[in-house]
């Protein structure tokens, strides 16, 4: 700890004090540490290391800014001190500023090349940031310094692996094994390392070697995980085309776990059958195998299910003969998930069951009339009801919710205490476009089993969809921690993405844009947390020798933001930001008190109170735990006002989209969003790139069509004004050619698109929007929109809602006419009503189930 | 449903399933801790869209006295209501148990359940064969007592 040759060493007394200072800091005795630091500085005011330590101490005492300033000063005084750089590194790490932390730690190591702690910290940061080449160097250093520690070998091997050097990895591990002495007989950690070694060989394509090594280790029982052994054997034998041995291995895996699809897939592939791409030749062979497995292992459901799944496409007879016993069994047991299968044939079969049930006849030799097995009848009705509530396929009869409700009503009269029936009713009403009736029914279901959180979560979701956020949160509060400031804050702490998205969407639908953004932001923060979580596990996994799952974790984290929840929050947030850019007046109108309904105002007040409570609690707790360096996240924007009033909505939007762009997500809506933002940022070539990706994914997609027209408009107006350099404008003009041949006018292009997709309501609505971009006369656009009502057009409630939104946005005089047509087309729907009608339904929902504010929960 | 070993990419789905069904919840870090310490013990059931509809989150008990046999512990197990009656909980539990014995030589499995949670007690006692070992007073954060239940794994 003494200084380097260039600087003066501390006098003896101060040296001792400095050692004390370090100890006091480590034990977090901060007040005394501060005193000690000041003592040293009195005598030696320019001692950089003491200044840095004092600064570090201050950051733990809620004097963070002061501390950081001091650290910076101290560093200047002693840039050769590893202690100073280490302190800086600690502070940057606490802020999760990984890049800066790595720089600081790297400097620290330069000053003290053999400091193990520092080297380990550097390695951890390097792997976290994906700097695998320098990681390998660091881990090599660590190994050289302490080759007697097992972890250090493994750490170096993993570093080589991550750096893509598989043969080096193999060598390292082999050398490591040769250094081992006295490995205990049954050592799980050693077993895991061996499994890792086998995996490295496999990844390197050395299947034979991997297999022979595996067999040796298995025989001498050094590998204790039999499942892993057999799985590896099966895979390796398959890769080596040793069909018989591989089959045997897959079969023994199936015996161990008959429900794993991968095992069946493996078995079939060894026999030359690709489960995901069956041919006329392989299909019957596959069915045979499944049938064999089924009889060998009667308790297994997977072979029966897979047989059904693959025979769906084939002639109906095969499927029918398999499905009848399957369905019968499901009805007898009362399995709610039975519907998830091919329904064409099922409808026919089910209706037969229902008729026979009602007539008291036997079904395929089994007796269950109404009086002796009534539950079977009830499940049959339930099944048929759900079946009729959704269209079978795009060219079959439309859904028949009235029939569904009628069937369910009969079932409910029969068995009023079965929550599934009321849940079914809720689902039918939801699909029919009545979120209020749906929430009401779901609440009735929930009341039948107050202890079940599943019912509670579903009901809360349905209330969110009906726009009653306050009631939803009240419900959720029956299961959240009682000492949390609010149900929402507990759910956010527990990273409940579903809640954040549902509430965000609810606010978005009601135009409370700030609140919506706030909820989506929680999603963003959760994903940041998940990304940061992996940090501690870099070193932890080495200690526990669980390398296979660790590498699995790293590759998962790399793809992290491809998660549907992130994408959903991103796209919704971007929609809002784009709106804010296009209509800046929205900012004030969205947050004005007049706009919020009473219940929204209440919810807003509660959220503010809760945020304040969190602040107070965290202040309390941070005063006690002064070893907690990172401050609890302050919710300084509980109603999203800050997010809403952002100076640059488009760049906020791009922050969401950047990771999606990097991950090259295969979704049209993602690239359309990137287009929308970059186009408005006037980055036309970036926008064009995004548009082209979208086109490649789905050329005829309605949203793509609108953007093509949009792009044309933007480029035409961009190339005209002076000041644009000619080569750029020439480039832009030529890009137009690639999208639409120049002989076609945009109007014609749009009309041709409609012709091509005359049966798709989505396409028609998109064409209407494109028309608007072309400044087409309102009458014409309206006529286009009304085209969705044509009998031949395939439509759905959401698309019609979008159409209605277009009309209201245009302040069309035909809006009420459209509403009336919707009421006729979707008789059970309530979403097409006027604002007053919707408010009335909402009020009805509130009064139909009064949940008292302070209800003692009847649940645990 | 497909039943298989839990992987890193399944953990968020397990968390979502847990939040849907049970009042005892954990941050993702805790799931990571399980997966990266005992990667052989946690299993998931997934539907045909890849959604996690059931899971078992399990570990080996870390603190054992000298001479005490190693034993497994079920941190959490749950199946979505809409996928019940398929025997998933039992299948998940059995795979995990096998691994506890096979890899770690566990002598028994333990778990805790709220005294008032009739449904769960029924699952553990009647379907999975657990017995009540003792009552641990005020085990849960809100002060409720827990049944400590146990399943012997040795023949």
């Amino acid at each position: 700890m003494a200084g380097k040759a260039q600087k003066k060493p501390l006098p003896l007394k101060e040296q001792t004090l400095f050692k004390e200072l370090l100890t006091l800091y480590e034990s977090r005795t901060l007040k005394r540490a501060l005193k000690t630091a000041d003592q040293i500085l009195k005598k030696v005011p320019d001692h950089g290391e003491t200044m840095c330590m004092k600064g570090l101490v201050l950051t733990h005492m809620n004097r963070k800014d002061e501390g950081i300033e001091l650290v910076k000063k101290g560093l200047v005084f002693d840039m050769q001190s590893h202690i100073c750089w280490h302190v800086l590194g600690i502070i940057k790490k606490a802020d999760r500023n990984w890049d800066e932390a790595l720089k600081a730690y790297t400097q620290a190591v330069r000053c003290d090349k053999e400091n193990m702690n520092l080297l380990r910290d550097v390695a951890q940061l390097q792997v976290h940031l994906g700097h695998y080449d320098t990681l390998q160097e660091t881990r090599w250093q660590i190994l050289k310094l302490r080759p007697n520690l097992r972890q250090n070998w493994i750490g170096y091997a993993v570093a080589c692996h991550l750096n893509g050097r598989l043969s080096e990895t193999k060598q390292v591990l082999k050398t490591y094994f040769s250094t081992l002495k006295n490995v205990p007989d049954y050592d799980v950690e050693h077993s895991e390392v061996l499994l890792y070694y086998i995996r490295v060989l496999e990844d390197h394509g050395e299947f034979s070697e991997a297999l022979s090594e595996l067999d040796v280790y298995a025989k001498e029982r050094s590998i204790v995980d039999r499942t892993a052994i057999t799985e590896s054997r099966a895979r390796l034998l398959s890769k080596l085309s040793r069909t018989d041995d591989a089959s045997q291995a897959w079969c023994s895996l199936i015996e161990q776990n008959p429900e794993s699809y991968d095992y069946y897939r493996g078995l079939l592939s060894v026999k030359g059958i690709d489960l995901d791409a069956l041919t006329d030749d392989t299909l019957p062979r596959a069915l045979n195998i499944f049938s064999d497995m089924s009889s060998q292992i009667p308790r297994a459901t997977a072979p029966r299910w897979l047989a059904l799944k693959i025979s769906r496409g084939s002639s109906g007879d095969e499927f029918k003969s398999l499905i009848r016993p399957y369905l019968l069994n499901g009805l007898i047991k009362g399995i709610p998930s039975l519907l998830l299968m091919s329904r064409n044939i099922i409808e026919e079969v089910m209706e037969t069951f229902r008729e026979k049930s009602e007539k008291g006849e036997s079904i395929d030799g089994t007796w269950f009339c109404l009086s002796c097995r009534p539950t079977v009848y009830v499940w049959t009705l339930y099944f048929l009801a759900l079946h009729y509530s959704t269209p079978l396929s795009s060219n079959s009869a439309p859904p028949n919710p009235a029939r569904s409700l009628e069937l369910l009503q009969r079932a409910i009269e029969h068995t009023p205490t079965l929550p599934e029936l009321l849940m079914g009713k809720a689902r039918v009403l939801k699909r029919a476009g009545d979120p209020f009736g749906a929430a009401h029914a779901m609440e009735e279901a929930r009341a039948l089993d107050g202890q079940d959180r599943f019912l509670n979560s579903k009901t809360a979701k349905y209330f969110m969809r009906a726009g009653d956020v306050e009631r939803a949160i009240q419900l959720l509060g029956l299961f959240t921690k009682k000492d949390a400031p609010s149900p929402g804050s507990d759910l956010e702490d527990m990273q409940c993405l579903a809640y954040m998205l549902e509430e965000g969407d609810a606010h978005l639908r009601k135009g409370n844009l700030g609140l919506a953004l706030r909820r989506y932001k929680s999603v963003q923060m959760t994903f940041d947390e998940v990304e940061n979580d992996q940090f501690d596990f870099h070193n932890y996994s080495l200690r526990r020798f669980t390398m296979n799952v660790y590498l699995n974790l790293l590759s998962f984290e790399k793809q992290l933001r491809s998660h549907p929840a992130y994408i959903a929050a991103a796209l919704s947030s971007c929609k809002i930001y784009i709106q804010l850019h296009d209509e800046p007046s929205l900012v004030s109108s969205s947050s004005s008190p007049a706009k919020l309904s009473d219940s929204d105002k209440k919810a807003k007040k509660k959220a503010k109170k809760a945020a304040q409570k969190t602040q107070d609690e965290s202040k309390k707790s941070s005063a006690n735990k002064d070893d907690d360096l990172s401050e609890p996240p302050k919710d300084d924007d509980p109603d999203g006002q800050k997010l809403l009033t952002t100076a640059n909505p488009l760049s906020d939007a791009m922050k969401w989209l950047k990771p999606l762009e990097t991950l090259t997500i295969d979704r049209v809506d993602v690239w359309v969003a990137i287009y929308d933002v970059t186009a408005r940022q006037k980055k036309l070539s970036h926008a064009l790139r995004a548009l082209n990706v979208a086109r490649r994914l789905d050329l005829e997609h309605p949203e793509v069509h609108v953007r093509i027209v949009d792009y044309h408009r933007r480029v035409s107006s961009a190339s005209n004004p002076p000041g644009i350099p000619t080569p750029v404008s020439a480039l832009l003009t030529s890009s137009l050619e690639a999208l639409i041949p120049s002989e076609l006018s945009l109007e014609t292009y749009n009309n041709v698109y409609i012709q091509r997709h005359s049966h798709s309501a989505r396409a028609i609505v998109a064409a209407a929007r494109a028309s608007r971009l072309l400044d087409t006369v309102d009458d014409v656009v309206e006529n286009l929109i009304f085209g969705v009502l044509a009998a031949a057009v395939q439509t759905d409630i959401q698309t019609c809602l979008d159409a209605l939104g277009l009309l209201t946005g245009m302040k069309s005089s035909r809006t009420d006419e459209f509403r009336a047509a919707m009421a006729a087309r979707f008789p059970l729907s309530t979403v097409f009503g006027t604002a007053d009608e919707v408010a009335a339904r909402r009020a009805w929902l509130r009064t139909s189930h009064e949940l008292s504010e302070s209800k003692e929960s009847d649940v645990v | 449903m497909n039943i298989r070993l839990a992987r890193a990419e399944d953990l968020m789905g397990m968390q979502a399933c847990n939040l849907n069904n049970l009042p005892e919840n954990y941050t993702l870090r805790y799931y990571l801790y399980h997966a990266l310490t005992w990667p052989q013990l946690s299993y998931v059931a997934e539907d045909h869209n890849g959604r996690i509809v059931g899971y078992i989150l399990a570990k080996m008990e870390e603190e054992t006295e000298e001479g005490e046999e190693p034993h497994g512990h079920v941190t959490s197990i749950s199946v979505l209501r809409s996928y019940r009656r398929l025997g998933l909980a039992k299948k998940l539990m059995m795979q995990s148990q096998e691994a506890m014995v096979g890899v770690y030589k566990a002598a028994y499995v333990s778990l805790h359940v709220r005294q008032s949670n009739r449904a769960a007690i029924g699952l553990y006692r009647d379907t999975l064969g657990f017995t009540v070992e003792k009552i641990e007073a005020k085990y849960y954060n809100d002060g409720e007592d827990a049944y400590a239940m146990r399943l012997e794994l040795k023949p």
Side-chain angles (χ1 to χ4, degrees):
Chain A
M1 271 163 276
K4 293 271 172 136
Q6 292 104 307
K7 68 176 195 279
K8 250 186 342 205
L10 282 177
L12 219 56
K13 175 163 188 255
E14 275 65 41
Q15 269 186 42
T16 322
L17 282 177
F18 188 77
K19 288 201 180 92
E20 237 183 82
L21 170 57
L22 293 174
T23 321
L24 288 169
Y25 168 74
E26 244 135 65
S27 62
R28 299 293 187 268
T29 329
L30 298 174
K31 286 217 179 95
R32 277 185 59 199
L34 199 54
K35 270 210 180 114
T36 314
D38 284 332
Q39 267 185 291
I40 303 175
L41 288 171
K42 233 205 222 141
K43 270 290 180 59
V44 191
D46 60 352
H47 190 234
E49 288 179 345
T50 307
M51 288 167 81
C52 283
M53 283 308 297
K54 179 177 172 187
L56 182 59
V57 167
L58 287 174
T59 58
H60 284 281
M61 295 175 80
N62 257 315
R63 289 158 72 178
K64 188 169 174 195
D65 293 330
E66 202 187 324
I68 292 181
E69 274 312 305
L70 196 50
V71 170
K72 287 195 188 146
K73 267 170 77 182
L75 189 52
V76 169
F77 274 108
D78 196 352
M79 299 197 97
Q80 301 295 334
S81 157
H82 74 274
I83 293 181
C84 291
W85 286 106
H86 191 175
V87 166
L88 183 62
I90 292 176
I91 290 180
K92 293 291 177 188
K93 227 186 358 182
D95 277 343
R96 311 264 175 91
N97 190 342
W98 311 121
D99 279 299
E100 290 299 310
L102 178 56
K103 287 193 191 136
Y105 272 97
T106 312
Q107 283 298 106
V109 166
R110 285 219 182 96
C111 302
D112 187 2
K113 295 203 169 64
E114 304 199 345
N115 185 324
M116 277 301 263
N117 283 330
L118 288 178
L119 284 168
R120 267 203 296 270
D121 286 332
V122 166
Q124 193 180 25
L125 286 160
Q126 282 166 337
V127 70
H128 195 72
L129 289 167
H131 299 175
Y132 298 136
D133 41 7
T134 42
L135 172 71
Q136 190 176 337
E137 285 163 26
T138 312
R139 284 263 156 226
W140 171 237
Q141 282 300 312
I142 294 176
L143 179 58
K144 265 202 317 204
L145 286 171
R146 283 251 237 122
N148 56 334
L149 195 60
R150 284 186 297 154
Q151 286 185 36
N152 293 343
W153 285 90
I154 308 304
Y156 181 55
V158 171
C160 293
H161 195 167
L162 287 169
N163 202 17
R165 307 269 228 270
L166 276 172
S167 46
E168 267 179 69
T169 314
K170 172 182 165 183
Q171 274 312 118
V172 173
L173 287 171
K174 279 178 95 156
T175 317
Y176 163 68
F177 292 141
S178 67
T179 67
L180 291 176
K181 303 176 184 31
N182 306 328
V183 180
D185 243 345
Y186 194 93
D187 188 329
V188 181
E189 291 175 351
H190 183 59
S191 167
E192 283 294 312
V193 178
L194 291 171
L195 280 170
Y196 173 55
Y197 173 58
I198 304 292
R199 178 224 173 104
V200 169
L201 290 173
E202 195 179 335
D203 283 353
H204 200 219
E206 296 185 55
F207 305 136
S208 284
E209 168 113 9
L211 189 59
S212 52
E213 294 282 64
L214 180 61
D215 282 342
V216 168
Y217 295 132
K219 209 181 207 155
E220 58 181 44
R221 293 185 191 267
S222 328
I223 301 184
V224 305
D225 185 344
R226 299 225 69 84
T227 310
I229 292 176
T230 324
E231 279 183 3
S232 300
R233 287 200 86 233
R235 270 199 325 267
L236 291 165
L237 288 165
S238 302
K239 284 179 178 165
L240 289 167
S241 306
R242 284 171 51 178
T243 9
D244 290 331
D245 292 331
S247 291
Q248 220 177 34
W250 289 117
C251 283
S252 75
L253 284 169
I254 288 172
E255 240 179 80
Q256 159 74 11
N257 176 5
E259 306 298 349
S260 168
Y261 294 178
D262 284 336
Y263 296 167
Y264 294 102
R265 195 173 272 116
L267 179 63
L268 289 176
S269 74
V270 168
K271 297 184 185 287
I273 307 172
D274 182 351
L275 181 59
D276 302 308
L278 294 160
T279 63
D280 289 332
D281 173 59
T282 57
L283 177 58
R285 288 172 54 211
L287 285 172
N288 267 329
I289 292 176
F290 285 134
S291 164
D292 280 341
M293 287 283 135
S294 234
S295 16
Q296 277 178 44
I297 314 176
R299 72 184 194 281
T301 38
R304 278 184 280 146
W305 167 244
L306 285 169
L308 277 172
K309 179 168 183 252
I310 61 178
S311 61
R312 229 160 48 188
S314 70
S315 88
D317 294 329
E318 184 67 64
F319 184 71
K320 258 192 226 174
S321 66
L322 290 167
I323 196 114
R324 289 177 76 98
Y326 190 91
L327 288 175
L328 261 184
N329 189 50
L331 289 171
I332 294 171
K333 287 189 79 175
I335 300 175
S337 60
L338 201 53
L339 186 63
L340 310 164
M341 293 183 242
S342 169
R343 288 147 62 195
N344 292 294
I345 299 167
I346 287 176
E347 176 178 329
E348 197 189 307
V349 172
M350 274 292 174
E351 283 289 2
T352 325
F353 288 165
R354 182 184 59 75
E355 280 162 26
K356 296 209 167 182
S357 221
E358 282 163 7
K359 289 191 204 146
E361 291 170 15
S362 79
I363 301 171
D364 295 354
T366 318
W367 288 97
F368 33 94
C369 54
L370 267 164
S371 39
C372 45
R373 303 278 283 270
T375 55
V376 178
Y377 176 60
V378 165
W379 284 112
T380 316
L381 292 175
Y382 168 84
F383 184 100
L384 282 167
L386 288 177
H387 167 74
Y388 287 125
S389 74
T390 49
L392 275 177
S393 55
S394 52
N395 47 9
S396 66
N400 190 348
R403 176 138 176 76
S404 300
L405 291 174
E406 186 212 346
L407 289 166
L408 281 169
Q409 198 46 40
R410 243 189 281 172
I412 292 169
E413 271 156 31
H414 218 274
T415 315
T417 53
L418 183 58
E420 269 68 20
L421 297 175
L422 286 155
M423 287 166 71
K425 181 173 173 185
R427 220 184 309 166
V428 170
L429 287 168
K430 171 185 82 163
R431 289 172 181 166
D434 178 9
F436 308 102
H440 178 98
M442 195 53 92
E443 171 61 25
E444 287 184 320
R446 188 193 73 81
L448 292 173
D449 191 353
Q451 274 214 334
D452 186 348
R453 192 177 195 183
F454 179 91
L455 283 173
N456 177 283
S457 318
K458 261 253 186 283
T459 313
K461 172 174 137 177
Y462 273 65
F463 272 92
M464 292 275 194
R465 300 273 172 108
D468 195 343
V469 176
E470 195 196 338
R471 179 68 62 84
I473 291 182
Q474 241 181 353
L475 279 170
L476 291 168
L478 294 173
F479 279 92
T480 51
K481 294 195 181 60
K482 300 292 171 273
D483 56 357
S486 71
S489 81
D490 182 43
L491 288 168
E492 282 197 12
D493 282 346
M494 300 282 68
Q495 304 169 319
C496 186
L497 295 170
Y499 156 74
M500 297 172 205
L501 283 174
E502 284 293 340
E503 199 186 303
D505 291 348
H507 286 307
L508 178 55
R509 279 190 293 268
K510 294 166 80 173
N512 301 334
L513 302 182
L515 285 167
L517 283 174
R518 176 65 187 82
R519 288 289 158 260
Y520 295 137
K521 183 117 193 105
S522 306
V523 173
Q524 195 178 47
M525 287 174 3
T526 302
F527 277 90
D528 289 344
E529 260 171 49
V530 173
E531 188 175 48
N532 285 328
D533 275 342
Q534 61 178 316
F535 187 72
D536 289 336
F537 288 98
H538 298 306
N539 284 344
Y540 180 76
S541 319
L542 291 181
R543 287 209 316 272
R544 304 304 297 244
F545 295 93
T546 48
M547 286 76 48
N548 283 329
V549 66
Y550 167 68
L551 290 171
N552 173 213
L553 173 65
L554 289 188
S555 55
F556 159 68
E557 292 271 10
K558 285 203 183 83
Q559 298 283 318
L560 178 63
R561 288 176 181 79
S562 61
H563 192 289
Y566 179 85
I567 298 181
L571 294 182
S572 297
S573 297
C574 288
K575 276 203 177 67
I576 297 177
Y577 284 127
I578 288 171
Q579 261 189 299
L580 292 176
H581 171 87
D582 292 347
E583 297 165 71
S585 62
L586 267 179
V587 177
S588 42
S589 69
S590 157
S591 42
S592 82
K595 180 135 208 261
L596 297 174
S597 69
D598 273 331
S599 83
D600 284 343
K601 279 194 227 176
K602 248 174 159 183
K604 206 172 154 172
K605 234 172 127 186
K606 272 195 178 154
K608 264 207 157 106
K609 244 171 111 187
Q612 188 53 45
K613 203 167 166 205
T614 324
Q615 284 266 61
D616 299 338
E617 308 248 303
S618 63
K619 278 214 184 80
K620 249 194 298 166
S621 59
S622 68
N624 297 334
K625 296 187 271 152
D626 53 14
D627 60 349
D628 188 355
L629 180 57
S630 51
E631 287 167 17
K634 286 197 281 266
D635 190 356
D636 57 356
D637 191 16
D639 52 8
Q641 269 301 106
K642 284 214 180 121
L643 292 166
L644 188 63
T645 53
T646 176
N648 203 334
L650 292 180
S651 66
D652 289 350
M654 242 2 239
K655 281 204 194 86
W656 276 102
L657 294 173
K658 262 254 148 292
L660 298 177
E661 209 176 11
T662 315
L663 289 170
T664 56
I665 306 285
D666 268 354
R667 281 175 55 158
V668 171
D669 49 5
V670 168
W671 294 98
V672 162
I674 295 174
Y675 170 85
D676 285 342
V677 174
T678 48
R680 283 164 177 76
Q681 287 176 319
K682 309 264 196 280
K683 298 182 182 162
L684 288 177
S685 52
H686 192 166
L688 178 62
R689 276 202 309 277
L691 181 55
N692 280 330
V693 177
R695 283 174 71 229
R696 268 201 305 279
L697 287 172
D698 186 352
L699 187 54
E700 297 293 311
H701 196 285
E703 296 301 319
V704 173
H705 173 75
V706 177
R707 274 27 173 232
I708 290 177
V709 173
D710 180 84
Y711 179 77
H712 250 266
R713 298 265 304 164
R714 285 181 194 273
V715 170
S716 319
S717 55
S719 3
N720 286 340
I724 301 250
T726 348
V728 174
S729 94
L731 203 65
L732 291 174
T733 324
S734 69
S735 69
L736 294 179
E737 268 290 328
L739 292 172
I740 303 178
S742 53
E743 319 89 65
L744 278 184
S745 73
L746 289 181
E747 286 75 11
T748 316
Y749 180 70
N750 199 23
N751 287 331
V752 167
Y753 181 77
I754 299 170
Q755 301 281 8
R756 273 208 303 277
H757 300 282
S758 50
H759 293 295
S760 157
R762 292 224 73 86
I764 293 174
V765 172
R769 281 162 55 208
S771 254
R772 293 269 291 157
L773 287 175
L774 300 174
D775 295 323
T776 314
V777 160
D778 278 4
D779 289 356
V780 175
V781 179
E782 284 167 0
N783 278 332
L784 265 179
I785 295 174
F786 272 77
V788 306
L789 296 171
V793 171
Q794 283 287 329
T795 188
D796 58 87
I797 296 197
Q798 187 54 53
T799 312
C800 292
L801 266 175
D802 293 340
L804 179 61
L806 253 188
L807 285 170
T808 40
M810 283 165 61
K811 307 212 192 312
S812 160
S813 54
R814 296 182 68 187
T815 313
D816 286 338
E817 186 191 330
F818 192 77
R819 280 192 215 280
M822 286 297 109
R825 181 75 172 250
F826 302 106
L828 292 170
S829 69
T830 49
V831 287
F832 296 107
T834 58
D836 288 339
E837 286 166 349
V838 166
R841 290 306 290 166
R842 206 164 275 155
W844 164 82
L845 181 62
R846 296 222 106 212
T847 54
S848 62
H849 292 286
E850 276 307 332
L851 253 191
S852 62
E853 291 275 342
S854 57
K855 185 171 185 184
E856 204 52 53
S857 82
D858 56 359
V859 303
V860 292
Chain B
M1 301 299 116
N2 190 10
I3 293 188
R4 56 173 180 74
L5 196 62
R7 297 171 54 83
E9 57 268 22
D10 298 321
L11 298 175
M12 289 183 81
M14 290 161 74
Q15 185 186 36
C17 190
N18 164 269
L19 280 160
N20 230 319
N21 297 337
L22 300 172
E24 265 71 50
N25 314 122
Y26 320 95
T27 54
L28 194 72
R29 249 181 108 78
Y30 199 48
Y31 291 86
L32 285 169
Y33 166 63
H34 281 71
L36 280 125
T37 314
W38 306 277
Q40 315 86 347
L41 301 183
S42 297
Y43 275 76
V44 294
E46 79 180 336
D47 75 2
H48 304 97
N49 298 320
R51 183 181 175 209
I52 305 297
V53 300
Y55 70 90
I56 179 168
L57 183 68
K59 67 210 265 275
M60 292 303 290
E61 193 53 71
E62 297 114 310
E63 275 141 59
T64 41
E65 323 285 318
E66 254 324 300
E68 205 184 293
E69 292 171 305
H71 67 272
H73 186 86
V74 176
T75 304
S76 184
I77 175 172
S78 183
V79 175
L80 287 183
R81 188 190 176 106
S82 33
Y83 289 86
R84 299 197 185 148
R85 314 299 299 278
L86 290 167
L88 292 180
K90 179 149 199 183
K91 290 173 180 175
L92 289 165
M93 178 65 92
M94 292 192 66
Q95 293 303 320
S96 183
Q97 277 168 219
E98 275 297 314
M100 285 176 186
V101 173
V103 179
Y104 295 101
K105 295 193 166 156
Y108 63 92
V109 195
S110 65
L111 54 80
H112 291 97
V113 60
R114 286 176 181 271
Q115 276 207 305
S116 59
N117 194 345
R118 291 162 283 145
I121 294 172
L123 168 69
Y124 301 137
R125 189 187 54 216
D126 305 327
T127 310
L128 299 174
F130 281 74
T131 54
V132 178
E133 195 188 5
K134 61 177 185 258
I135 296 178
E136 291 193 30
K138 300 199 191 313
Y139 178 81
Y140 291 98
N141 279 335
D142 59 5
E144 182 169 3
D145 297 346
Y147 283 133
M149 300 186 81
R150 182 175 160 138
L151 175 67
E152 293 295 322
L153 294 175
K154 293 223 182 96

